[in-house]
Amino acid sequence: METDRSGISEAVRKLTEKLRRFRAAEQNGVRIEPVCKETLLQQRINEAETAAKKRTADMYRGYLAPVETFGADSIRAVAAQRDTEAVLKAYTLYKAVMEDAKTLSDDTTHLSHIEIETPLTKNDAYTIGGMFIYLQLWLIFEQCVEDFIPIIVPEKGGRYHLAFESLKSHYFTSAEKELMAAVQKVFYS
């Protein structure tokens, strides 16, 4: 019986010593805060926002510097250059028509709208894929366009055409505004 008591006493003594060292270590060491759901959720939200901003910057960089981004022999670089040239050409055409129309128009006879055909309106990435905003931003930031902005307008039968409207009155969605802010922050601040 005596050996059992000494074994129990020894176990209690060892446990007491471990608890004493544990308490002393906790005061001197780093205390890890418990992870709460809100902190974890906020961390995931922040990571998702950072990833989205990076994707936005990468996509815009492809239009800003296609050869440097995709490589000289890349199909994507050629397509990005072709598309930026096409949207600039459409803008230039629209501006020229509007300038000529000013001199020939009056209150009763004038152009009501102009529809422009371009390969951009046959590209699903621009018509239904939401990528046209990058070309709009490229015009605004790189070409310093302040008057008119191109928009893709759906027609009957699944067709589209390019039109222009005043940049001041154009409605950008909240998602487009976020893209614009991200592009502006990364490339133009």
Side-chain angles (χ1 to χ4, degrees), residues 6-49:
S6 67
I8 291 173
S9 298
E10 183 63 22
V12 169
R13 186 188 65 73
K14 286 182 180 179
L15 180 61
T16 304
E17 178 61 26
K18 279 185 181 182
L19 287 173
R20 185 190 61 75
R21 283 185 301 192
F22 181 74
R23 285 189 192 124
E26 186 179 271
Q27 292 170 359
N28 298 332
V30 177
R31 185 172 192 167
I32 299 174
E33 295 294 322
V35 178
C36 66
K37 290 180 184 178
E38 292 81 17
T39 304
L40 200 55
L41 180 61
Q42 187 61 50
Q43 181 180 1
R44 286 186 181 157
I45 290 170
N46 292 345
E47 289 170 357
E49 285 177 357

Side-chain angles (χ1 to χ4, degrees), residues 53-68:
K53 287 177 183 175
K54 182 182 180 333
R55 279 191 307 276
T56 298
D58 290 345
M59 289 299 287
Y60 185 73
R61 188 174 288 110
Y63 291 100
L64 187 62
V67 172
E68 292 81 4

Side-chain angles (χ1 to χ4, degrees), residues 25-171:
E26 186 179 271
Q27 292 170 359
N28 298 332
V30 177
R31 185 172 192 167
I32 299 174
E33 295 294 322
V35 178
C36 66
K37 290 180 184 178
E38 292 81 17
T39 304
L40 200 55
L41 180 61
Q42 187 61 50
Q43 181 180 1
R44 286 186 181 157
I45 290 170
N46 292 345
E47 289 170 357
E49 285 177 357
T50 301
K53 287 177 183 175
K54 182 182 180 333
R55 279 191 307 276
T56 298
D58 290 345
M59 289 299 287
Y60 185 73
R61 188 174 288 110
Y63 291 100
L64 187 62
V67 172
E68 292 81 4
T69 303
F70 303 120
D73 298 330
S74 169
I75 294 170
R76 288 179 73 189
V78 171
Q81 283 181 313
R82 181 189 64 230
D83 293 348
T84 54
E85 289 169 4
V87 78
L88 182 58
K89 189 173 190 174
Y91 171 78
T92 305
L93 176 62
Y94 180 79
K95 286 280 290 188
V97 169
M98 293 303 290
E99 289 298 318
D100 283 347
K102 278 183 188 177
T103 60
L104 301 173
S105 300
D106 60 26
D107 291 341
T108 59
T109 307
H110 59 275
L111 289 173
S112 63
H113 69 281
I114 300 170
E115 296 179 5
I116 298 176
E117 289 293 322
T118 174
L120 299 173
T121 59
K122 294 169 182 65
N123 186 330
D124 287 346
Y126 298 131
T127 58
I128 59 175
M131 298 296 293
F132 194 65
I133 182 67
Y134 292 101
L135 289 175
Q136 291 172 321
L137 294 177
W138 180 82
L139 270 178
I140 292 168
F141 293 127
E142 284 299 303
Q143 301 304 311
C144 302
V145 168
E146 296 178 340
D147 48 4
F148 300 104
I149 188 160
I151 57 171
I152 292 181
V153 180
E155 299 174 1
K156 291 182 182 178
R159 295 182 44 128
Y160 298 87
H161 69 267
L162 202 63
F164 284 82
E165 64 184 26
S166 168
L167 180 58
K168 288 183 173 108
S169 65
H170 178 71
Y171 174 76

